[in-house]
């Protein structure tokens, strides 16, 4: 990242002449009036506090704001934790929990001249409020570790991108905010999942990819640029290093390799790998890890900077190019640059941030106004009734559209296969059917009218697959002897009675199951209609009967829909039972007698053709395997004469029989009263039927004679 030689000081800094290069920390001249400098520092502090509050609110509410932020990135042992402690001005043993933490840590460093001892506070989870101040360094490390373990256990993951926010107020801290990320690792430590390194890499990339964030990349001085493992990762995120600041850590380990000036200058330039305009910072920090006071820790940092400069001037033949590289060597220079760069980014981002906040405030104001009007409307019964009626009508329209056929919402998400319908409805297999009934398109996810038709065809397949069980001798004897004893006669009538009883016992459960399956298909349409209504409203930017938030209304509407489906199912069951009883009644043979006597041959052929036709031939197959099913159907229908009329007819009832019935205009007598004897009624019915047939024959003959 290209840098300048002009740095703005903070209230914590005391200007020192640039010539005094061996001072405790490198400072610059203040060439402006002290009152103007104080005012500028005050403005910067106010701006910094405002951005910190925005950042805390954004983290708490999951908001994404383009706030300028510094993201620290580096390998596991590249000195990132030591650098953060040096910036804070005190140690809190973050190195001991770095392998234990798998969450980003947002460090909000606030320069407070009154805080002679550091005051650290953690932001509460899912809130913008901060907890009580914490002074103990070990407590800080324990909180970071415990919060990380609790979240990872809750989310059942190895890493999490949800950050921990810590605010540190200290007289020796700069006004700086840095997001510390978990260090890159090549191999997961013991007890962690094997994919932990990849998850860390993915999480860090997502944090660093935002264009408003500055990347602070650390790499040890002992690692050559050509063999850097993580530099390629930075190139993927920021190919031109436009927003990347490279820091060479542990620089003191490399100093002993330099003997001549050209070696130092070539290493410091790094132009062969990073480019002419990229100037890394070279930093070394104390290696003494023993417990020392905060003042002693800061003195050690300054002393390391002094020793590095002394070695470059005195330990290297010819020294180094101070005019070109002096402002990039030492921790003090890095700290000054970070603070000034962040201040500059804050100032540049202020207009855009303010415009975004105004937009969000306007959106919130509009939403509050809408909610206020909605609250006021709750007292207007007429308005509520109108909104409820509009919403209910819209839901009904969408239900009708789904029955007629629709592809919105996506059937892949909302549809169900035949197996899912069977399992979720709790109905299971068809009664009396031993084999597995699989209709065409059983594997497709369908809803609405398509699922309705598929369930209907599945009922047909189940009905065709029922095999007639053997009839016991006792049952045949009971029917046959009863008919013979009453003079009603023959084997044909007894067989017809047995067939009617069997049809009722076989088809009644199938019809009830079909009604239940169809009711389940219709019952699923309520959620689909609600989803469809919401999508259509959002697409067109309107609200049809705005009833959002009225939980009781939605519960009542759903209850009404379920009751409607339940009542409809009950009525359908009664209706199909009535039709079943009608077609299996003893009086129904009057309608079929002429067909059985006059058109037996053609009727038998019709029955044969109907039973031979596969149920799949009456339904369009759209799922996989359609070609195989079509071939199988054609093989089953091979050598069968073509149909003269493609319309499906009732088995045992041909076209000629229907024509005869229409010309005859025969009527079925009313159901006899229980008070009347059955035999007499039956004989009367036969006599009346015989007279009717005889009269019809005479009329026909007289017409022919004419």
């Amino acid at each position: 990242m290209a840098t300048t030689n002009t740095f703005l000081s903070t209230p914590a800094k005391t200007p020192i002449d640039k010539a005094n290069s061996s001072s405790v920390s490198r400072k610059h001249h203040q060439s402006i009036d002290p009152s103007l400098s104080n005012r500028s520092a005050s403005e910067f502090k106010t701006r910094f506090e405002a951005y910190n509050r925005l950042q805390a609110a954004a983290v708490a509410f999951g908001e994404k704001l383009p706030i300028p932020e510094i993201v620290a990135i580096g390998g596991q042992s590249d000195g990132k934790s030591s650098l953060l402690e040096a910036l804070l001005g005190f140690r809190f043993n973050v190195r001991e929990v770095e392998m234990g933490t798998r969450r980003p840590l947002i460090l909000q460093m606030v320069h407070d001249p009154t805080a002679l001892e550091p005051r650290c506070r953690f932001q509460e989870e899912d809130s913008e409020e901060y907890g009580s101040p914490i002074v103990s360094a070990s407590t800080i490390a324990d909180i970071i570790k415990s919060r990380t373990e609790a979240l990872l256990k809750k989310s059942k993951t190895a890493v999490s991108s949800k950050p921990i926010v810590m605010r540190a107020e200290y007289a020796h801290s700069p006004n700086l905010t840095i997001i510390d990320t978990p260090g890159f690792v090549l191999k997961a430590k013991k007890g962690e999942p094997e994919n932990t390194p990849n998850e860390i890499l993915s999480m860090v990339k997502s944090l660093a990819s935002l264009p408003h964030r500055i990347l602070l990349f650390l790499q040890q001085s002992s690692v050559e640029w050509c063999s850097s493992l993580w530099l390629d990762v930075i190139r993927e995120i920021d190919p031109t290093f436009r927003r990347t600041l490279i820091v060479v850590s542990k620089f003191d380990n490399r100093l002993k390799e330099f003997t001549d000036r050209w070696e130092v200058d070539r290493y410091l330039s790094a132009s062969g790998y990073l480019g002419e305009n990229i100037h890394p910072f070279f930093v070394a920090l104390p290696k003494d890890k023993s417990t020392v006071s905060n003042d002693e820790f800061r003195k050690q940092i300054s002393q390391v900077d002094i020793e590095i400069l002394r070695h470059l001037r005195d330990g290297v033949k010819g020294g180094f190019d101070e005019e070109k590289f002096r402002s990039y060597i030492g921790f003090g220079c890095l700290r000054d640059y970070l603070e000034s760069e962040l201040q500059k980014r804050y100032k540049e981002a202020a207009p855009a941030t303010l415009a975004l906040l105004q937009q969000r405030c306007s959106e919130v104001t509009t939403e509050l106004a809408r909610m206020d009007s909605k609250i006021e409307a709750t007292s207007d019964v007429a308005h509520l009734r109108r909104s409820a009626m509009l919403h209910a009508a819209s839901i009904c329209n969408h239900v009708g559209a789904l029955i007629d056929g629709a592809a919105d919402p996506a059937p892949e998400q909302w549809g169900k296969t035949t197996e899912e319908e069977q399992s979720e409805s709790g109905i299971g297999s068809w009664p009396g059917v031993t084999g597995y009934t699989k209709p065409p398109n059983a594997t497709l996810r369908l809803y609405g009218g398509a699922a309705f038709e598929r369930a209907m065809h599945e009922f047909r397949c189940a009905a065709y697959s029922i095999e007639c069980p053997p009839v016991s001798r006792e049952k045949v004897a009971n029917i046959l002897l009863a008919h013979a004893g009453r003079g009603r006669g023959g084997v044909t009538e007894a067989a017809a009675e047995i067939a009617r009883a069997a049809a009722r016992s076989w088809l009644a459960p199938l019809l009830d199951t079909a009604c239940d399956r169809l009711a389940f298909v219709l019952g699923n349409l309520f959620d689909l209609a609600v989803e469809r209504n919401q999508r259509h409203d959002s697409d067109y930017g309107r609200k049809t009967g705005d009833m959002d938030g009225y939980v009781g209304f939605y519960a009542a509407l759903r209850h009404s829909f379920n009751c409607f489906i339940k009542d409809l199912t009950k009525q359908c069951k009664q209706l199909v039972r009535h039709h079943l009883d009608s077609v299996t009644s003893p009086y129904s043979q009057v309608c079929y007698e002429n067909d059985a006597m006059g058109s037996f041959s053609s009727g038998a052929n019709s029955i044969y053709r109907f039973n031979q036709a596969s149920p799949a031939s009456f339904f369009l197959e759209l799922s996989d395997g359609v070609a195989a099913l079509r071939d199988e159907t054609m093989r089953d229908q091979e050598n069968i004469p073509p149909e003269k009329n493609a319309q499906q007819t009732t088995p045992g009832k041909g076209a000629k029989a229907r024509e005869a019935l229409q010309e005859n205009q025969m009527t079925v007598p009313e159901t006899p009263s229980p008070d009347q004897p059955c035999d007499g009624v039956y004989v009367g019915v036969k006599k009346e039927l015989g007279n009717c047939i005889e009269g019809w024959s005479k009329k026909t003959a007289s017409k022919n004679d004419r």
Side-chain angles (χ1 to χ4, degrees):
M1 175 179 288
T3 62
T4 61
N5 291 330
T6 303
F7 299 96
L8 299 177
S9 60
T10 65
K13 298 181 174 67
T14 303
I16 301 178
D17 196 309
K18 183 178 179 180
N20 187 11
S21 58
S22 61
S23 60
V24 173
S25 63
R26 179 176 176 270
K27 306 297 178 183
H28 299 278
H29 282 295
Q30 287 184 336
S31 58
I32 57 178
D33 185 75
S35 61
L36 296 177
S37 177
N38 293 334
R39 185 173 64 182
S40 177
S42 177
E43 292 176 355
F44 171 53
K45 185 176 181 180
T46 303
R47 190 185 299 116
F48 179 77
E49 286 288 344
Y51 273 109
N52 274 352
R53 292 177 59 188
L54 281 177
Q55 188 179 50
V59 171
F61 299 110
E63 185 66 53
K64 294 186 181 298
L65 296 176
I67 302 173
E69 297 164 329
I70 299 175
V71 181
I73 302 174
Q76 184 61 51
S77 302
D78 289 340
K80 183 161 50 68
S81 301
S82 299
L83 178 64
L84 295 178
E85 289 182 339
L87 290 171
L88 285 168
F90 65 93
R91 284 177 172 168
F92 64 95
N93 299 325
V94 70
R95 294 179 305 278
E96 298 180 4
V97 298
E98 185 170 2
M99 283 301 294
T101 182
R102 286 294 179 259
R103 298 176 60 182
L105 176 63
I106 299 180
L107 292 175
Q108 296 177 341
M109 309 175 198
V110 180
H111 172 72
D112 186 357
T114 63
L116 301 180
E117 292 295 331
R119 296 193 301 264
C120 298
R121 293 184 298 165
F122 285 91
Q123 182 180 347
E124 301 294 340
E125 299 280 7
D126 301 323
S127 172
E128 57 179 333
E129 300 296 329
Y130 287 84
S132 303
I134 300 173
V135 179
S136 174
S138 59
T139 304
I140 296 173
D142 293 339
I143 291 177
I144 295 174
K145 187 174 182 179
S146 62
R147 284 197 175 188
T148 301
E149 293 176 350
L151 181 63
L152 297 183
K153 183 178 181 181
K154 181 180 179 181
S155 60
K156 298 180 180 180
T157 55
V159 297
S160 175
S161 59
K162 185 177 182 181
I164 300 174
V165 181
M166 187 183 84
R167 180 183 176 92
E169 302 170 351
Y170 194 28
H172 302 283
S173 292
N175 288 317
L176 194 64
T177 298
I178 291 184
I179 302 177
D180 181 25
T181 61
F184 297 128
V185 293
L186 295 175
K187 186 178 180 181
K189 73 172 186 177
K190 186 177 181 180
E192 289 186 339
E194 294 182 358
N195 62 337
T196 299
N198 293 331
E199 292 191 12
I200 293 176
L201 182 62
S202 177
M203 187 256 286
V204 173
K205 282 184 177 181
S206 64
L207 291 173
S209 60
L210 299 179
H212 60 271
R213 286 179 172 170
I214 305 171
L215 308 185
L216 181 64
F217 173 63
L218 276 77
Q219 180 176 277
Q220 296 187 49
S221 62
S222 58
V223 178
E224 299 295 338
W225 296 113
C226 59
S227 60
S228 175
L229 294 176
W230 312 121
L231 188 62
D232 292 336
V233 177
I234 301 299
R235 280 198 173 97
E236 294 179 9
I237 303 172
D238 184 22
T240 61
F241 298 106
R242 184 180 59 84
R243 55 188 182 91
T244 301
L245 178 65
I246 299 177
V247 177
V248 179
S249 61
K250 304 179 182 181
F251 182 53
D252 51 342
N253 294 337
R254 194 67 181 259
L255 292 178
K256 57 185 178 181
E257 300 180 8
F258 301 137
T259 56
D260 295 330
R261 174 169 178 163
W262 68 269
E263 294 177 332
V264 178
D265 292 345
R266 185 180 64 176
Y267 178 78
L268 297 178
S269 64
S271 58
Y273 299 96
L274 302 179
E276 293 292 339
N277 297 324
I278 308 301
H279 298 289
F281 281 82
F282 301 88
V283 176
L285 294 171
K287 290 184 172 58
D288 185 10
K289 304 302 180 182
S290 60
T291 303
V292 296
S293 63
N294 294 332
D295 291 338
E296 182 63 26
F297 176 59
R298 292 191 298 274
K299 289 180 181 179
Q300 291 179 359
I301 294 174
S302 301
Q303 187 63 34
V304 172
D305 282 352
I306 295 173
E307 293 176 356
I308 288 177
L309 289 174
R310 181 183 297 118
H311 181 83
L312 290 175
R313 292 187 180 119
D314 302 335
V316 177
K317 184 178 180 180
F320 71 103
D321 191 347
E322 292 197 36
E323 182 178 357
K324 185 176 181 180
F325 301 113
R326 172 63 186 89
S327 57
Y328 303 106
I329 297 176
F331 170 78
C333 295
L334 175 63
R335 169 176 160 159
D336 290 345
Y337 176 79
L338 289 176
E339 192 172 7
S340 64
E341 183 68 16
L342 193 61
Q343 178 184 2
K344 183 182 71 174
R345 296 293 182 98
Y346 281 163
K347 191 172 182 179
E348 293 174 352
T353 304
L354 182 60
L356 180 60
L357 292 177
Q358 290 175 345
Q359 178 184 348
R360 298 294 170 86
C361 289
S362 177
E363 294 173 355
V364 172
T365 303
T366 303
E367 183 65 18
L368 288 176
R370 190 183 70 84
M371 296 302 296
D372 289 339
S373 62
K374 195 171 181 179
I375 292 174
E376 293 177 0
T378 55
S379 59
D380 188 353
V381 179
H383 175 77
L384 286 177
R385 184 180 291 111
R386 179 178 179 274
S387 298
M389 293 175 64
L390 288 174
H391 189 85
S394 178
I395 295 297
C396 291
N397 291 335
H398 286 298
V399 170
L402 291 169
I403 294 176
D404 292 339
D408 176 35
E412 298 83 359
Q413 178 182 359
W414 295 87
K416 299 181 185 300
T417 63
T418 298
E419 185 177 356
E420 290 173 345
E421 287 181 1
Q422 292 176 350
S423 60
E424 295 181 17
S425 63
I427 299 173
S429 60
W430 295 88
V433 179
T434 57
Y436 176 67
T437 303
K438 183 178 181 181
N441 305 315
T443 58
L444 296 183
R445 294 186 175 273
L446 305 177
Y447 59 67
F452 193 95
E453 292 298 328
R454 183 177 61 185
M456 286 290 295
H457 192 71
E458 186 182 354
F459 163 72
R460 297 191 191 101
C461 295
Y464 292 145
S465 62
I466 294 179
E467 297 181 359
C468 179
V471 182
S472 64
R473 296 175 61 87
E474 288 78 5
K475 185 176 295 186
V476 174
N478 272 276
I479 300 296
L480 186 60
L481 293 177
H483 279 255
R486 297 183 182 181
R488 292 161 52 183
V491 179
T492 303
E493 293 183 357
E497 182 64 28
I498 294 174
R500 286 193 293 268
R504 285 193 295 269
S505 63
W506 300 338
L507 293 179
L510 281 178
L511 292 172
D512 289 344
T513 302
C515 292
D516 292 334
R517 283 287 304 277
L518 297 176
F520 177 77
V521 172
L522 295 180
N524 290 334
L525 296 183
F526 184 83
D527 292 329
L528 283 165
V530 172
E531 176 69 17
R532 201 166 186 264
N533 184 60
Q534 293 177 351
R535 292 190 180 187
H536 280 228
D537 287 346
S538 61
D539 291 342
Y540 293 100
R542 56 182 173 81
K543 287 287 184 180
T544 305
D546 187 5
M547 299 300 293
D548 292 343
Y550 292 93
V551 180
F553 167 75
Y554 276 105
L557 186 62
R558 182 185 291 272
H559 177 71
S560 299
F561 183 82
N562 293 336
C563 290
F564 167 72
I565 297 298
K566 186 176 180 181
D567 294 340
L568 183 63
T569 306
K570 183 178 179 181
Q571 294 176 13
C572 289
K573 287 183 178 180
Q574 293 175 352
L575 183 60
V576 296
R577 278 296 186 97
H578 173 73
H579 285 293
L580 179 62
D581 292 340
S582 299
V583 298
T584 57
S585 170
Y587 303 100
S588 64
Q589 69 178 346
V590 176
C591 301
Y592 292 96
E593 184 171 309
N594 190 51
D595 178 42
M597 296 174 62
S599 303
F600 176 81
S601 178
S602 61
N605 293 333
S606 177
I607 294 174
Y608 176 78
R609 290 195 300 271
F610 186 83
N611 290 335
Q612 287 297 322
S614 172
S617 63
F618 298 99
F619 197 70
L620 181 62
E621 169 62 81
L622 300 175
S623 59
D624 295 338
V626 61
L629 180 60
R630 188 182 297 110
D631 295 340
E632 182 180 355
T633 303
M634 295 302 295
R635 286 196 302 269
D636 293 340
Q637 296 181 350
E638 191 174 0
N639 298 327
I640 296 177
E643 295 280 356
K644 294 183 179 180
N645 188 0
Q647 183 177 359
Q648 181 177 342
T649 60
T650 304
K653 208 173 179 187
K656 294 182 180 180
R658 288 200 303 271
E659 293 176 0
L661 290 175
Q662 289 176 358
E663 293 181 8
N664 192 15
Q665 297 181 350
M666 296 171 56
T667 59
V668 180
E670 296 181 356
T671 305
S673 172
D675 299 332
Q676 297 175 344
C678 182
D679 294 342
V681 173
Y682 186 76
V683 173
V685 170
K686 293 199 67 176
K687 289 181 178 180
E688 183 178 351
L689 177 61
N691 295 333
C692 181
I693 295 174
E694 183 179 357
W696 175 80
S697 302
K698 292 179 179 180
K699 290 180 181 180
T700 304
S702 62
K703 289 181 181 180
N704 293 335
D705 294 337
R706 293 176 187 175

